[in-house]
Amino acid sequence: MARIIVVTSGKGGVGKTTTSAAVSMGLAMRGHRTAVIDFDVGLRNLDLIMGCERRVVYDFVNVINEEANLNQALIKDKRCDNLYILPTSQTREKIALTKDGVGRVIEELSRSFDYIICDSPAGIEHGAMMAMYYADDAFIVVNPEISSVRDSDRMLGILASKSRRAITSSAPIREYLLITRYDPERVKKTEMMSVDDVQDIISIELLGIVPESKSVLNASNSGMPVVLDRDSEAGQAYIDVVKRYLGERIPHRFTDVPKKGIFGRLFRE
C-alpha cells in the first residue's frame, strides 16, 4: 500500500506546490513509484510547475465523477518514468471533491504506487480538509514569519482531530516541518524568525530548510521541479528533504550566513 503524504500550511504562498513537485520528483528519482495530486480545485497550478499543462485532458474531478477513469487522467512525467501527475479542475467548485470520491481514487492509486503526494490548498477550506483526511504523513510548510507559523500550528490541531487516522483512533499522522524562503542574513538582522524561533512554536521534526532562491521562480516558470536544479541551493535543500524523509541522517544546511572570501571582505558595501 502507498504512503499518503499531504503537503499543507495555514497560509497561502509559502511554497506548498513547489514542495509537492520537488518531493514527488525526488522520490520518483530514487526509484519509488509516485503520484502527485492537485487538490486546489478552481486554481490548478501543479500542472504548470510540472510542465504538463498542455497535456491535461481529464482531471481529478472527472475521475471522482466517473466521467473518466484514472488511467485517462494520470499524466506520466516525461523526465522520470516513476512519476505521474493527477491535475485538478479549473472550472468546478471546491465541493466537487467528496470524501468518498477522494477515498476511491486514493485507494486505486495505492494499488500501484509507493507514495501519493496530496498538494493541498492553504488553510482549512474544503479542498484542504479533503487533502488532509486520508494522510499518513504531513509536511507542514511555513515561511519564517509569525503569521505563517501561527496559522500552520493550527493545522496540526486539525490533523490531530479531523483526519481519518484521528477519527478511527489509528496511529497518528507523522508530522514534519519544512521551512521555506529562509534567509540567514535577515535572521541575523532580526527581520525574520530563526529556525529555533519557528521550532519553539511548531515542535515537530524538522525535515528541511529551503533557502530563499531565485532558482525556485526560474524553475516554476520553466515547468521544472526545482529539485532537478542540482546547482541551486534550493534544489540541494529539497534533495536533502527527500533523503531525510526516507530515513537518511544528514545535517541541516543553509542556516548560517555564508562566509565571504577575501574579495568579499575587501569590497563589502
Side-chain angles (χ1 to χ4, degrees):
M1 292 292 287
R3 193 81 185 170
I4 302 162
I5 304 169
V6 62
V7 179
T8 187
S9 73
K11 183 179 178 182
V14 299
K16 290 184 303 299
T17 301
T18 294
T19 296
S20 296
V23 170
S24 60
M25 178 63 78
L27 288 168
M29 289 171 63
R30 291 176 70 88
H32 302 284
R33 280 182 56 82
T34 304
V36 56
I37 308 173
D38 190 345
F39 275 78
D40 203 353
V41 176
L43 293 179
R44 198 174 86 186
N45 289 318
L46 179 65
D47 56 305
L48 292 171
I49 291 181
M50 299 301 295
C52 63
E53 69 276 9
R54 295 182 181 179
R55 299 167 61 198
V56 177
V57 178
Y58 295 106
D59 58 49
F60 190 16
V61 176
N62 290 138
V63 179
I64 287 174
N65 291 340
E66 299 183 341
E67 298 161 349
N69 63 48
L70 190 55
N71 285 334
Q72 289 176 294
L74 280 173
I75 300 172
K76 185 177 181 180
D77 188 86
K78 291 182 177 180
R79 295 153 297 207
C80 183
D81 289 342
N82 289 320
L83 180 58
Y84 289 78
I85 302 98
L86 182 56
T88 197
S89 173
Q90 283 183 306
T91 59
R92 307 292 182 98
E93 297 294 325
K94 297 182 185 298
I95 57 172
L97 299 180
T98 64
K99 191 177 292 183
D100 289 343
V102 171
R104 189 177 68 250
V105 173
I106 286 179
E107 182 180 359
E108 186 174 349
L109 287 169
S110 294
R111 299 189 194 116
S112 53
F113 287 91
D114 302 314
Y115 292 99
I116 300 169
I117 313 295
C118 301
D119 181 27
S120 172
I124 56 174
E125 53 104 315
H126 181 74
M129 300 301 290
M130 291 297 98
M132 288 188 285
Y133 184 76
Y134 291 99
D136 299 311
D137 302 330
F139 289 9
I140 311 297
V141 183
V142 303
N143 291 160
E145 51 97 11
I146 190 62
S147 62
S148 173
V149 174
R150 181 190 60 194
D151 290 349
S152 290
D153 191 41
R154 185 184 179 196
M155 303 305 293
L156 294 174
I158 294 171
L159 287 165
S161 60
K162 294 189 176 183
S163 65
R164 179 176 63 173
R165 284 177 171 266
I167 292 169
T168 59
S169 299
S170 302
I173 293 172
R174 297 191 310 196
E175 298 162 340
Y176 301 95
L177 174 63
L178 183 61
I179 302 174
T180 57
R181 303 195 69 176
Y182 194 77
D183 186 342
E185 287 275 9
R186 294 188 63 194
V187 172
K188 186 177 180 180
K189 296 175 183 176
T190 68
E191 297 174 354
M192 179 178 283
M193 298 175 73
S194 69
V195 174
D196 289 340
D197 292 335
V198 175
Q199 288 197 286
D200 282 344
I201 299 172
I202 304 182
S203 301
I204 58 177
E205 182 178 344
L206 179 61
L207 193 62
I209 302 159
V210 181
E212 181 73 80
S213 174
K214 292 180 180 178
S215 62
V216 173
L217 180 60
N218 292 338
S220 296
N221 286 339
S222 61
M224 179 186 78
V226 71
V227 73
L228 295 176
D229 184 1
R230 293 175 175 268
D231 293 330
S232 72
E233 289 187 343
Q236 294 168 30
Y238 277 115
I239 290 171
D240 288 354
V241 165
V242 172
K243 288 180 178 178
R244 290 191 196 96
Y245 176 70
L246 293 176
E248 294 187 35
R249 299 177 64 87
I250 55 176
H252 290 284
R253 299 190 278 170
F254 315 117
T255 58
D256 299 322
V257 176
K259 292 181 179 179
K260 295 183 178 180
I262 185 170
F263 291 105
R265 294 193 297 270
L266 287 172
F267 299 102
R268 180 168 29 187
E269 294 181 0

